[in-house]
Amino acid sequence: MGMTNAATENILFSTGGATRLSTGSPVGLTLKKTHIWAAWTGWIFTAGFLIAVCPLFAWTIPPYMGPSASAMEVKQFYLDHLFQIRVGAFIGMAASAFYYPWGAAIAAMLRRVENGRPPILTYTQLGAVGVAVFNSVLYFFWMAYCAFRADTMDAEMLRSLNDFQYILLEFEVFPLSLWAITIGLAILLDKSEHPVFPRWVAWVNFWFAGLVMTGQFMIFFKKGPMAWNGLLAVYWPAFVFFFWICAMSSFMIKALKREYGVRQEASTEAYA
Amino acid sequence: MGAIVRSGVSVVYLVLVVMTAVSWSAASQGFTGTFVIMTVGFGKAFLIGLFFMELLHAPRVLQGLLGLWCVACWAGILAFYMAG
Amino acid sequence: MSVAAGSSIGKTGGESLETWNNEPKKGATWLRRGRVPGEPGLWILIFGDMALFLLLFGGFMIERAKEVDLFRRCSDTLHLNIGLVNTVILLTSSIAVALAVRAVRIKTKTWGPIFAWLALLCGLAFLFNKYLEWGDLIRGGIIPTTNNFYLWYFIMTGVHLAHVLIGTCVLVYILRLTRRAHLDQAVSIAGLECGASYWHMVDLLWVILFPLLYLMR
């Protein structure tokens, strides 16, 4: 450990390659470090997503227009911003790759809470990761699709496809809420001596689960705060959602650095 | 039952009901009326937080957050009322 | 770490607002001294929920400032008396919950469940009143998309209604806890306080919604 490449080479040459390096892995890399990188994916996903949707690129958070825009207005928006929307979709798809490691990491860290019992909460979380990432990925798929041939597409059809983009962005709420409730339950039920996360982190999850719900109602409105460009459909749920992602990321980084949730101890009331 | 009911919270309850009656009967015309009903309203909210939610003996952080919320909402509502 | 039934006043709140270990942060003892009702994390939920309503109040007032006459006229069409009755109902349910918690704390057996039932009945009465009120409006042809006032009215009372619905489940949970206490079984006081605080928040929010929607001219 700590040997430079040149030093290694010298040793290899001089002893004919018979020296065994300690682990065979790149010098300095440990499982702990890798896990901490994995925990950072929440922040990376957030940054990538928000950059992809900002006015510089796709312009969907904040939305350029609303459900009451005419078909011509929608088409004009696409015609004027075709390239940047495509770049936004590209960045967004890249960002989406960082969503599932974040989710998987949380499930992995909380798995030991279920030692001694079937890991139902863990598997539920992994299932939720699939649903959520599918949603994120499909959203950027759809954005790319809308922008692919927008110049020759019929305006009404383009408006309709554009509506679906916002439905993808805002309408999947309850599956995420249940995911957060599962995480919260796992945290509250952690009765070990060194819990993975402090108890109050569960309540951050419950807060997210409850408060993001306003977005679920966007399907009923074309004007006002619950329309797909409204306060309660875009801005508030986006704030709550990305706060949750980044907060959980930070809690994980902290826990991994302090080695909480790393020891092999089963919970003290494994059959409780 | 007497031992349970005879406590501070019961008094607060009666005060809250009276405050409700006051704001209902107060003239809610114009800025004065709105000022009265909003001040009474947030006063009630503050009492509920302090006594029902038991924040009276809680860490000051929680009392501070409650107070901050009440003041921010109260000020915001009155400010926007005047701007209208 | 399991939540104790509540630290006594005067402790530096080591188990309350700290994160992992029990070291109180330096210089924060004045802010932190005291007993946290329920458990610390609950207040993230409660204040986080109140934050949403702060935005709703702001949004409502901004929309109102654009169409003051419309908002004044439409306020008149609301069922003021039902609103008033609902306010008193929620206040009553809140005191009932507070007294139920008190009954469990001072270990008077029968009264916990009785107050909890009273609270639950009040909650159901609120829901019934809401059904009457909304039903009347909708039968009169007034729906959320009728105009801006009704949009905000239905959205605000709707979001509050969602909280009442969840709160009713919480009241059932409180009832169960009081009955277990009545049967001398172990009861989590922290859990009881958490549920109670949530219901008080529901009351607190209505106490602001009522003057905002029904009384303001």
Side-chain angles (χ1 to χ4, degrees), chain A residues 192 195-196 198-200 203-204 206-207 211 221 223-226 232 236 254 258 260, chain C residues 1 3 18-21 39 41-42 44-45 48-49 51-52 55-56 144 151-152 155 194:
Chain A
S192 55
V196 179
R199 262 186 93 84
W200 57 266
W203 293 93
V204 176
F206 295 146
W207 169 78
L211 273 296
F221 297 92
K223 272 175 38 179
M226 278 185 170
L232 297 178
W236 175 253
K254 202 164 175 185
R258 292 209 201 177
Y260 286 115
Chain C
M1 21 181 195
V3 177
E18 270 62 58
T19 51
W20 268 262
N21 310 319
E39 57 174 278
L42 170 74
I44 296 173
L45 178 65
D49 217 332
L52 171 65
L55 289 180
L56 286 178
L151 178 68
W152 281 88
I155 285 178
C194 281

mmCIF file of all heavy atoms in Angstrom, chain A residues 192 195-196 198-200 203-204 206-207 211 221 223-226 232 236 254 258 260, chain C residues 1 3 18-21 39 41-42 44-45 48-49 51-52 55-56 144 151-152 155 194:
data_model
loop_
_atom_site.group_PDB
_atom_site.id
_atom_site.type_symbol
_atom_site.label_atom_id
_atom_site.label_comp_id
_atom_site.label_asym_id
_atom_site.label_seq_id
_atom_site.Cartn_x
_atom_site.Cartn_y
_atom_site.Cartn_z
ATOM 1 N N SER A 192 -30.998 -1.640 16.919
ATOM 2 C CA SER A 192 -29.639 -2.056 17.265
ATOM 3 C C SER A 192 -28.942 -0.986 18.090
ATOM 4 O O SER A 192 -29.435 0.132 18.250
ATOM 5 C CB SER A 192 -28.851 -2.340 15.991
ATOM 6 O OG SER A 192 -28.896 -1.207 15.157
ATOM 7 N N PRO A 195 -27.659 2.383 15.506
ATOM 8 C CA PRO A 195 -28.577 2.352 14.373
ATOM 9 C C PRO A 195 -27.938 2.939 13.115
ATOM 10 O O PRO A 195 -27.074 3.806 13.202
ATOM 11 C CB PRO A 195 -29.754 3.219 14.823
ATOM 12 C CG PRO A 195 -29.324 3.908 16.047
ATOM 13 C CD PRO A 195 -28.120 3.258 16.587
ATOM 14 N N VAL A 196 -28.383 2.459 11.976
ATOM 15 C CA VAL A 196 -27.832 2.907 10.703
ATOM 16 C C VAL A 196 -28.018 4.415 10.548
ATOM 17 O O VAL A 196 -27.099 5.153 10.223
ATOM 18 C CB VAL A 196 -28.503 2.166 9.528
ATOM 19 C CG1 VAL A 196 -27.958 2.648 8.203
ATOM 20 C CG2 VAL A 196 -28.331 0.670 9.687
ATOM 21 N N PRO A 198 -30.087 7.932 12.435
ATOM 22 C CA PRO A 198 -30.801 8.354 13.647
ATOM 23 C C PRO A 198 -32.299 8.337 13.401
ATOM 24 O O PRO A 198 -32.756 8.449 12.256
ATOM 25 C CB PRO A 198 -30.298 9.791 13.862
ATOM 26 C CG PRO A 198 -29.582 10.174 12.651
ATOM 27 C CD PRO A 198 -29.277 8.975 11.838
ATOM 28 N N ARG A 199 -33.048 8.183 14.469
ATOM 29 C CA ARG A 199 -34.502 8.034 14.356
ATOM 30 C C ARG A 199 -35.165 9.145 13.556
ATOM 31 O O ARG A 199 -36.100 8.907 12.803
ATOM 32 C CB ARG A 199 -35.132 8.003 15.753
ATOM 33 C CG ARG A 199 -35.427 6.636 16.261
ATOM 34 C CD ARG A 199 -36.176 6.717 17.572
ATOM 35 N NE ARG A 199 -37.607 6.690 17.394
ATOM 36 C CZ ARG A 199 -38.330 5.570 17.260
ATOM 37 N NH1 ARG A 199 -37.736 4.403 17.285
ATOM 38 N NH2 ARG A 199 -39.635 5.635 17.115
ATOM 39 N N TRP A 200 -34.679 10.369 13.747
ATOM 40 C CA TRP A 200 -35.402 11.469 13.128
ATOM 41 C C TRP A 200 -35.304 11.459 11.617
ATOM 42 O O TRP A 200 -36.115 12.083 10.933
ATOM 43 C CB TRP A 200 -34.961 12.820 13.693
ATOM 44 C CG TRP A 200 -33.521 13.144 13.590
ATOM 45 C CD1 TRP A 200 -32.553 12.937 14.534
ATOM 46 C CD2 TRP A 200 -32.853 13.744 12.475
ATOM 47 N NE1 TRP A 200 -31.346 13.370 14.085
ATOM 48 C CE2 TRP A 200 -31.493 13.871 12.829
ATOM 49 C CE3 TRP A 200 -33.267 14.188 11.218
ATOM 50 C CZ2 TRP A 200 -30.556 14.420 11.972
ATOM 51 C CZ3 TRP A 200 -32.332 14.738 10.359
ATOM 52 C CH2 TRP A 200 -30.985 14.838 10.733
ATOM 53 N N TRP A 203 -38.409 10.463 9.967
ATOM 54 C CA TRP A 203 -39.443 11.482 9.833
ATOM 55 C C TRP A 203 -39.204 12.376 8.618
ATOM 56 O O TRP A 203 -40.152 12.946 8.071
ATOM 57 C CB TRP A 203 -39.517 12.320 11.114
ATOM 58 C CG TRP A 203 -39.997 11.516 12.262
ATOM 59 C CD1 TRP A 203 -39.246 10.838 13.179
ATOM 60 C CD2 TRP A 203 -41.362 11.273 12.607
ATOM 61 N NE1 TRP A 203 -40.051 10.195 14.072
ATOM 62 C CE2 TRP A 203 -41.361 10.448 13.741
ATOM 63 C CE3 TRP A 203 -42.584 11.686 12.070
ATOM 64 C CZ2 TRP A 203 -42.519 10.022 14.362
ATOM 65 C CZ3 TRP A 203 -43.749 11.274 12.688
ATOM 66 C CH2 TRP A 203 -43.702 10.443 13.815
ATOM 67 N N VAL A 204 -37.962 12.532 8.186
ATOM 68 C CA VAL A 204 -37.702 13.241 6.937
ATOM 69 C C VAL A 204 -38.366 12.467 5.799
ATOM 70 O O VAL A 204 -38.955 13.049 4.886
ATOM 71 C CB VAL A 204 -36.182 13.390 6.687
ATOM 72 C CG1 VAL A 204 -35.928 14.034 5.344
ATOM 73 C CG2 VAL A 204 -35.531 14.191 7.792
ATOM 74 N N PHE A 206 -40.987 10.436 6.156
ATOM 75 C CA PHE A 206 -42.440 10.569 6.291
ATOM 76 C C PHE A 206 -42.892 11.936 5.798
ATOM 77 O O PHE A 206 -43.949 12.074 5.174
ATOM 78 C CB PHE A 206 -42.875 10.363 7.740
ATOM 79 C CG PHE A 206 -42.625 8.974 8.258
ATOM 80 C CD1 PHE A 206 -42.275 8.768 9.585
ATOM 81 C CD2 PHE A 206 -42.735 7.872 7.438
ATOM 82 C CE1 PHE A 206 -42.038 7.484 10.061
ATOM 83 C CE2 PHE A 206 -42.499 6.591 7.899
ATOM 84 C CZ PHE A 206 -42.149 6.397 9.221
ATOM 85 N N TRP A 207 -42.090 12.952 6.088
ATOM 86 C CA TRP A 207 -42.404 14.294 5.605
ATOM 87 C C TRP A 207 -42.470 14.305 4.087
ATOM 88 O O TRP A 207 -43.445 14.791 3.496
ATOM 89 C CB TRP A 207 -41.333 15.272 6.112
ATOM 90 C CG TRP A 207 -41.372 16.622 5.491
ATOM 91 C CD1 TRP A 207 -42.237 17.636 5.785
ATOM 92 C CD2 TRP A 207 -40.482 17.148 4.490
ATOM 93 N NE1 TRP A 207 -41.953 18.738 5.016
ATOM 94 C CE2 TRP A 207 -40.879 18.475 4.226
ATOM 95 C CE3 TRP A 207 -39.383 16.624 3.802
ATOM 96 C CZ2 TRP A 207 -40.225 19.290 3.300
ATOM 97 C CZ3 TRP A 207 -38.734 17.428 2.878
ATOM 98 C CH2 TRP A 207 -39.155 18.748 2.635
ATOM 99 N N LEU A 211 -45.867 15.140 2.064
ATOM 100 C CA LEU A 211 -45.942 16.467 1.479
ATOM 101 C C LEU A 211 -45.782 16.497 -0.035
ATOM 102 O O LEU A 211 -46.079 17.506 -0.652
ATOM 103 C CB LEU A 211 -44.880 17.375 2.130
ATOM 104 C CG LEU A 211 -45.298 18.074 3.411
ATOM 105 C CD1 LEU A 211 -46.439 19.029 3.142
ATOM 106 C CD2 LEU A 211 -45.734 17.120 4.495
ATOM 107 N N PHE A 221 -56.484 19.345 -13.243
ATOM 108 C CA PHE A 221 -56.522 20.796 -13.434
ATOM 109 C C PHE A 221 -55.732 21.229 -14.651
ATOM 110 O O PHE A 221 -54.713 20.639 -14.994
ATOM 111 C CB PHE A 221 -55.939 21.504 -12.198
ATOM 112 C CG PHE A 221 -56.714 21.269 -10.934
ATOM 113 C CD1 PHE A 221 -56.367 20.224 -10.089
ATOM 114 C CD2 PHE A 221 -57.784 22.079 -10.595
ATOM 115 C CE1 PHE A 221 -57.084 19.994 -8.928
ATOM 116 C CE2 PHE A 221 -58.498 21.858 -9.437
ATOM 117 C CZ PHE A 221 -58.149 20.816 -8.607
ATOM 118 N N LYS A 223 -55.542 24.825 -14.875
ATOM 119 C CA LYS A 223 -55.163 26.174 -14.434
ATOM 120 C C LYS A 223 -54.927 26.146 -12.944
ATOM 121 O O LYS A 223 -55.476 25.286 -12.247
ATOM 122 C CB LYS A 223 -56.314 27.163 -14.723
ATOM 123 C CG LYS A 223 -56.275 27.790 -16.097
ATOM 124 C CD LYS A 223 -57.491 28.646 -16.344
ATOM 125 C CE LYS A 223 -57.900 29.390 -15.103
ATOM 126 N NZ LYS A 223 -59.062 30.267 -15.289
ATOM 127 N N GLY A 224 -54.189 27.111 -12.438
ATOM 128 C CA GLY A 224 -54.078 27.232 -10.997
ATOM 129 C C GLY A 224 -52.895 26.472 -10.435
ATOM 130 O O GLY A 224 -52.043 25.981 -11.174
ATOM 131 N N PRO A 225 -52.836 26.394 -9.099
ATOM 132 C CA PRO A 225 -51.639 25.840 -8.467
ATOM 133 C C PRO A 225 -51.450 24.354 -8.698
ATOM 134 O O PRO A 225 -50.352 23.837 -8.511
ATOM 135 C CB PRO A 225 -51.851 26.133 -6.983
ATOM 136 C CG PRO A 225 -53.322 26.258 -6.837
ATOM 137 C CD PRO A 225 -53.845 26.805 -8.114
ATOM 138 N N MET A 226 -52.514 23.646 -9.125
ATOM 139 C CA MET A 226 -52.342 22.216 -9.319
ATOM 140 C C MET A 226 -52.280 21.825 -10.794
ATOM 141 O O MET A 226 -52.239 20.644 -11.112
ATOM 142 C CB MET A 226 -53.464 21.456 -8.602
ATOM 143 C CG MET A 226 -53.153 21.308 -7.130
ATOM 144 S SD MET A 226 -54.365 20.317 -6.278
ATOM 145 C CE MET A 226 -53.569 20.106 -4.716
ATOM 146 N N LEU A 232 -48.183 23.777 -6.743
ATOM 147 C CA LEU A 232 -48.330 22.533 -6.010
ATOM 148 C C LEU A 232 -48.043 21.301 -6.847
ATOM 149 O O LEU A 232 -47.977 20.200 -6.320
ATOM 150 C CB LEU A 232 -49.749 22.425 -5.429
ATOM 151 C CG LEU A 232 -50.105 23.499 -4.418
ATOM 152 C CD1 LEU A 232 -51.540 23.310 -3.958
ATOM 153 C CD2 LEU A 232 -49.175 23.442 -3.227
ATOM 154 N N TRP A 236 -43.352 22.856 -5.479
ATOM 155 C CA TRP A 236 -43.307 22.261 -4.147
ATOM 156 C C TRP A 236 -42.857 20.803 -4.184
ATOM 157 O O TRP A 236 -41.928 20.421 -3.465
ATOM 158 C CB TRP A 236 -44.667 22.429 -3.449
ATOM 159 C CG TRP A 236 -44.773 21.750 -2.136
ATOM 160 C CD1 TRP A 236 -45.475 20.615 -1.860
ATOM 161 C CD2 TRP A 236 -44.145 22.127 -0.907
ATOM 162 N NE1 TRP A 236 -45.331 20.269 -0.545
ATOM 163 C CE2 TRP A 236 -44.523 21.181 0.064
ATOM 164 C CE3 TRP A 236 -43.292 23.170 -0.532
ATOM 165 C CZ2 TRP A 236 -44.094 21.246 1.387
ATOM 166 C CZ3 TRP A 236 -42.877 23.246 0.791
ATOM 167 C CH2 TRP A 236 -43.275 22.288 1.723
ATOM 168 N N LYS A 254 -22.569 10.323 5.818
ATOM 169 C CA LYS A 254 -22.182 10.464 7.216
ATOM 170 C C LYS A 254 -22.122 9.106 7.902
ATOM 171 O O LYS A 254 -21.174 8.804 8.638
ATOM 172 C CB LYS A 254 -23.215 11.359 7.916
ATOM 173 C CG LYS A 254 -22.719 12.013 9.159
ATOM 174 C CD LYS A 254 -23.643 13.164 9.546
ATOM 175 C CE LYS A 254 -23.198 13.753 10.868
ATOM 176 N NZ LYS A 254 -24.111 14.778 11.355
ATOM 177 N N ARG A 258 -18.778 7.199 9.411
ATOM 178 C CA ARG A 258 -18.666 6.821 10.821
ATOM 179 C C ARG A 258 -18.862 5.334 11.021
ATOM 180 O O ARG A 258 -18.895 4.872 12.149
ATOM 181 C CB ARG A 258 -19.725 7.566 11.633
ATOM 182 C CG ARG A 258 -19.474 9.037 11.711
ATOM 183 C CD ARG A 258 -20.036 9.574 13.002
ATOM 184 N NE ARG A 258 -20.273 10.989 12.932
ATOM 185 C CZ ARG A 258 -20.813 11.698 13.888
ATOM 186 N NH1 ARG A 258 -21.198 11.091 14.996
ATOM 187 N NH2 ARG A 258 -20.986 12.982 13.773
ATOM 188 N N TYR A 260 -21.487 3.540 10.698
ATOM 189 C CA TYR A 260 -22.768 3.076 11.236
ATOM 190 C C TYR A 260 -23.463 2.247 10.166
ATOM 191 O O TYR A 260 -23.444 2.587 9.003
ATOM 192 C CB TYR A 260 -23.653 4.259 11.643
ATOM 193 C CG TYR A 260 -23.192 4.906 12.906
ATOM 194 C CD1 TYR A 260 -22.716 6.202 12.924
ATOM 195 C CD2 TYR A 260 -23.219 4.209 14.102
ATOM 196 C CE1 TYR A 260 -22.292 6.792 14.088
ATOM 197 C CE2 TYR A 260 -22.792 4.794 15.276
ATOM 198 C CZ TYR A 260 -22.324 6.082 15.261
ATOM 199 O OH TYR A 260 -21.894 6.656 16.416
ATOM 200 N N MET C 1 -31.684 3.478 18.960
ATOM 201 C CA MET C 1 -31.960 4.007 20.320
ATOM 202 C C MET C 1 -33.466 4.134 20.481
ATOM 203 O O MET C 1 -34.130 4.676 19.621
ATOM 204 C CB MET C 1 -31.301 5.364 20.538
ATOM 205 C CG MET C 1 -30.969 6.080 19.306
ATOM 206 S SD MET C 1 -30.178 7.625 19.515
ATOM 207 C CE MET C 1 -30.443 8.199 17.839
ATOM 208 N N VAL C 3 -36.899 5.459 22.157
ATOM 209 C CA VAL C 3 -37.265 6.781 22.660
ATOM 210 C C VAL C 3 -37.769 6.639 24.073
ATOM 211 O O VAL C 3 -38.694 5.901 24.345
ATOM 212 C CB VAL C 3 -38.352 7.397 21.779
ATOM 213 C CG1 VAL C 3 -38.782 8.725 22.318
ATOM 214 C CG2 VAL C 3 -37.828 7.541 20.352
ATOM 215 N N GLU C 18 -30.122 15.892 18.989
ATOM 216 C CA GLU C 18 -28.809 15.488 18.461
ATOM 217 C C GLU C 18 -28.969 14.498 17.335
ATOM 218 O O GLU C 18 -30.012 13.926 17.119
ATOM 219 C CB GLU C 18 -27.969 14.846 19.576
ATOM 220 C CG GLU C 18 -27.141 15.858 20.327
ATOM 221 C CD GLU C 18 -27.985 16.889 21.027
ATOM 222 O OE1 GLU C 18 -28.818 16.507 21.857
ATOM 223 O OE2 GLU C 18 -27.834 18.070 20.729
ATOM 224 N N THR C 19 -27.906 14.291 16.636
ATOM 225 C CA THR C 19 -27.964 13.372 15.518
ATOM 226 C C THR C 19 -27.587 11.973 15.957
ATOM 227 O O THR C 19 -28.419 11.214 16.406
ATOM 228 C CB THR C 19 -27.053 13.846 14.379
ATOM 229 O OG1 THR C 19 -25.772 14.106 14.908
ATOM 230 C CG2 THR C 19 -27.609 15.105 13.772
ATOM 231 N N TRP C 20 -26.344 11.618 15.869
ATOM 232 C CA TRP C 20 -25.992 10.248 16.182
ATOM 233 C C TRP C 20 -25.685 10.048 17.652
ATOM 234 O O TRP C 20 -26.310 9.280 18.326
ATOM 235 C CB TRP C 20 -24.750 9.845 15.378
ATOM 236 C CG TRP C 20 -25.078 9.225 14.097
ATOM 237 C CD1 TRP C 20 -25.121 7.907 13.812
ATOM 238 C CD2 TRP C 20 -25.440 9.903 12.890
ATOM 239 N NE1 TRP C 20 -25.473 7.718 12.513
ATOM 240 C CE2 TRP C 20 -25.676 8.904 11.922
ATOM 241 C CE3 TRP C 20 -25.580 11.241 12.539
ATOM 242 C CZ2 TRP C 20 -26.038 9.207 10.613
ATOM 243 C CZ3 TRP C 20 -25.951 11.543 11.250
ATOM 244 C CH2 TRP C 20 -26.175 10.537 10.309
ATOM 245 N N ASN C 21 -24.643 10.723 18.115
ATOM 246 C CA ASN C 21 -24.231 10.491 19.493
ATOM 247 C C ASN C 21 -25.001 11.398 20.411
ATOM 248 O O ASN C 21 -25.783 12.224 19.993
ATOM 249 C CB ASN C 21 -22.735 10.769 19.617
ATOM 250 C CG ASN C 21 -21.963 10.049 18.543
ATOM 251 O OD1 ASN C 21 -22.263 8.909 18.241
ATOM 252 N ND2 ASN C 21 -21.004 10.727 17.950
ATOM 253 N N GLU C 39 -41.579 12.761 19.728
ATOM 254 C CA GLU C 39 -40.149 12.568 19.523
ATOM 255 C C GLU C 39 -39.638 13.638 18.565
ATOM 256 O O GLU C 39 -40.418 14.244 17.834
ATOM 257 C CB GLU C 39 -39.839 11.155 19.007
ATOM 258 C CG GLU C 39 -40.524 10.737 17.745
ATOM 259 C CD GLU C 39 -39.985 9.365 17.298
ATOM 260 O OE1 GLU C 39 -38.922 9.340 16.680
ATOM 261 O OE2 GLU C 39 -40.647 8.369 17.597
ATOM 262 N N GLY C 41 -38.095 13.836 15.714
ATOM 263 C CA GLY C 41 -38.348 13.793 14.281
ATOM 264 C C GLY C 41 -39.739 14.235 13.900
ATOM 265 O O GLY C 41 -39.974 14.770 12.818
ATOM 266 N N LEU C 42 -40.712 14.014 14.807
ATOM 267 C CA LEU C 42 -42.091 14.388 14.519
ATOM 268 C C LEU C 42 -42.189 15.844 14.113
ATOM 269 O O LEU C 42 -42.981 16.216 13.249
ATOM 270 C CB LEU C 42 -42.956 14.149 15.767
ATOM 271 C CG LEU C 42 -44.368 14.711 15.700
ATOM 272 C CD1 LEU C 42 -45.225 13.876 14.779
ATOM 273 C CD2 LEU C 42 -44.990 14.810 17.072
ATOM 274 N N ILE C 44 -40.148 17.633 12.528
ATOM 275 C CA ILE C 44 -39.779 17.826 11.127
ATOM 276 C C ILE C 44 -41.023 17.684 10.269
ATOM 277 O O ILE C 44 -41.281 18.474 9.349
ATOM 278 C CB ILE C 44 -38.710 16.789 10.706
ATOM 279 C CG1 ILE C 44 -37.427 17.017 11.488
ATOM 280 C CG2 ILE C 44 -38.452 16.826 9.221
ATOM 281 C CD1 ILE C 44 -36.370 15.945 11.260
ATOM 282 N N LEU C 45 -41.828 16.667 10.582
ATOM 283 C CA LEU C 45 -43.061 16.452 9.836
ATOM 284 C C LEU C 45 -44.028 17.606 10.047
ATOM 285 O O LEU C 45 -44.584 18.152 9.093
ATOM 286 C CB LEU C 45 -43.704 15.132 10.269
ATOM 287 C CG LEU C 45 -45.039 14.779 9.619
ATOM 288 C CD1 LEU C 45 -44.874 14.548 8.137
ATOM 289 C CD2 LEU C 45 -45.649 13.541 10.268
ATOM 290 N N GLY C 48 -42.712 20.924 8.731
ATOM 291 C CA GLY C 48 -42.636 20.755 7.284
ATOM 292 C C GLY C 48 -44.006 20.846 6.647
ATOM 293 O O GLY C 48 -44.162 21.363 5.547
ATOM 294 N N ASP C 49 -45.006 20.314 7.333
ATOM 295 C CA ASP C 49 -46.386 20.382 6.868
ATOM 296 C C ASP C 49 -46.897 21.815 6.944
ATOM 297 O O ASP C 49 -47.553 22.318 6.022
ATOM 298 C CB ASP C 49 -47.235 19.464 7.758
ATOM 299 C CG ASP C 49 -48.315 18.761 6.975
ATOM 300 O OD1 ASP C 49 -48.763 19.319 5.952
ATOM 301 O OD2 ASP C 49 -48.714 17.652 7.376
ATOM 302 N N ALA C 51 -45.160 24.368 6.684
ATOM 303 C CA ALA C 51 -44.489 25.130 5.626
ATOM 304 C C ALA C 51 -45.313 25.111 4.346
ATOM 305 O O ALA C 51 -45.439 26.127 3.651
ATOM 306 C CB ALA C 51 -43.096 24.561 5.363
ATOM 307 N N LEU C 52 -45.898 23.945 4.029
ATOM 308 C CA LEU C 52 -46.751 23.877 2.841
ATOM 309 C C LEU C 52 -47.908 24.854 2.967
ATOM 310 O O LEU C 52 -48.254 25.569 2.016
ATOM 311 C CB LEU C 52 -47.286 22.456 2.643
ATOM 312 C CG LEU C 52 -48.361 22.307 1.565
ATOM 313 C CD1 LEU C 52 -47.812 22.614 0.185
ATOM 314 C CD2 LEU C 52 -48.966 20.911 1.572
ATOM 315 N N LEU C 55 -47.142 28.385 2.214
ATOM 316 C CA LEU C 55 -47.176 28.637 0.771
ATOM 317 C C LEU C 55 -48.609 28.767 0.269
ATOM 318 O O LEU C 55 -48.912 29.609 -0.575
ATOM 319 C CB LEU C 55 -46.478 27.509 0.015
ATOM 320 C CG LEU C 55 -44.963 27.427 0.150
ATOM 321 C CD1 LEU C 55 -44.427 26.256 -0.657
ATOM 322 C CD2 LEU C 55 -44.306 28.716 -0.326
ATOM 323 N N LEU C 56 -49.494 27.933 0.787
ATOM 324 C CA LEU C 56 -50.889 27.997 0.349
ATOM 325 C C LEU C 56 -51.519 29.331 0.733
ATOM 326 O O LEU C 56 -52.234 29.948 -0.054
ATOM 327 C CB LEU C 56 -51.688 26.841 0.962
ATOM 328 C CG LEU C 56 -51.430 25.453 0.375
ATOM 329 C CD1 LEU C 56 -52.243 24.398 1.101
ATOM 330 C CD2 LEU C 56 -51.759 25.424 -1.104
ATOM 331 N N PRO C 144 -64.355 23.175 -8.389
ATOM 332 C CA PRO C 144 -63.056 23.855 -8.281
ATOM 333 C C PRO C 144 -62.704 24.713 -9.478
ATOM 334 O O PRO C 144 -62.016 25.725 -9.328
ATOM 335 C CB PRO C 144 -62.075 22.688 -8.133
ATOM 336 C CG PRO C 144 -62.856 21.638 -7.477
ATOM 337 C CD PRO C 144 -64.252 21.770 -7.976
ATOM 338 N N LEU C 151 -61.424 27.669 -6.807
ATOM 339 C CA LEU C 151 -60.272 26.803 -7.038
ATOM 340 C C LEU C 151 -59.425 26.728 -5.766
ATOM 341 O O LEU C 151 -59.111 25.653 -5.252
ATOM 342 C CB LEU C 151 -59.434 27.364 -8.195
ATOM 343 C CG LEU C 151 -58.156 26.614 -8.553
ATOM 344 C CD1 LEU C 151 -58.484 25.257 -9.148
ATOM 345 C CD2 LEU C 151 -57.317 27.420 -9.526
ATOM 346 N N TRP C 152 -59.077 27.907 -5.255
ATOM 347 C CA TRP C 152 -58.260 27.941 -4.053
ATOM 348 C C TRP C 152 -59.018 27.441 -2.835
ATOM 349 O O TRP C 152 -58.445 26.820 -1.948
ATOM 350 C CB TRP C 152 -57.721 29.361 -3.822
ATOM 351 C CG TRP C 152 -56.549 29.624 -4.699
ATOM 352 C CD1 TRP C 152 -56.567 30.119 -5.969
ATOM 353 C CD2 TRP C 152 -55.178 29.348 -4.385
ATOM 354 N NE1 TRP C 152 -55.288 30.176 -6.467
ATOM 355 C CE2 TRP C 152 -54.417 29.720 -5.521
ATOM 356 C CE3 TRP C 152 -54.527 28.844 -3.267
ATOM 357 C CZ2 TRP C 152 -53.043 29.593 -5.562
ATOM 358 C CZ3 TRP C 152 -53.150 28.724 -3.312
ATOM 359 C CH2 TRP C 152 -52.417 29.094 -4.446
ATOM 360 N N ILE C 155 -59.046 23.671 -3.121
ATOM 361 C CA ILE C 155 -57.701 23.114 -2.947
ATOM 362 C C ILE C 155 -57.272 23.217 -1.484
ATOM 363 O O ILE C 155 -56.763 22.249 -0.898
ATOM 364 C CB ILE C 155 -56.684 23.820 -3.871
ATOM 365 C CG1 ILE C 155 -56.875 23.336 -5.309
ATOM 366 C CG2 ILE C 155 -55.253 23.569 -3.418
ATOM 367 C CD1 ILE C 155 -55.965 23.990 -6.314
ATOM 368 N N CYS C 194 -47.143 11.853 19.810
ATOM 369 C CA CYS C 194 -46.958 12.089 18.376
ATOM 370 C C CYS C 194 -48.318 12.211 17.692
ATOM 371 O O CYS C 194 -48.570 13.160 16.934
ATOM 372 C CB CYS C 194 -46.181 10.940 17.730
ATOM 373 S SG CYS C 194 -44.414 10.990 17.996
#
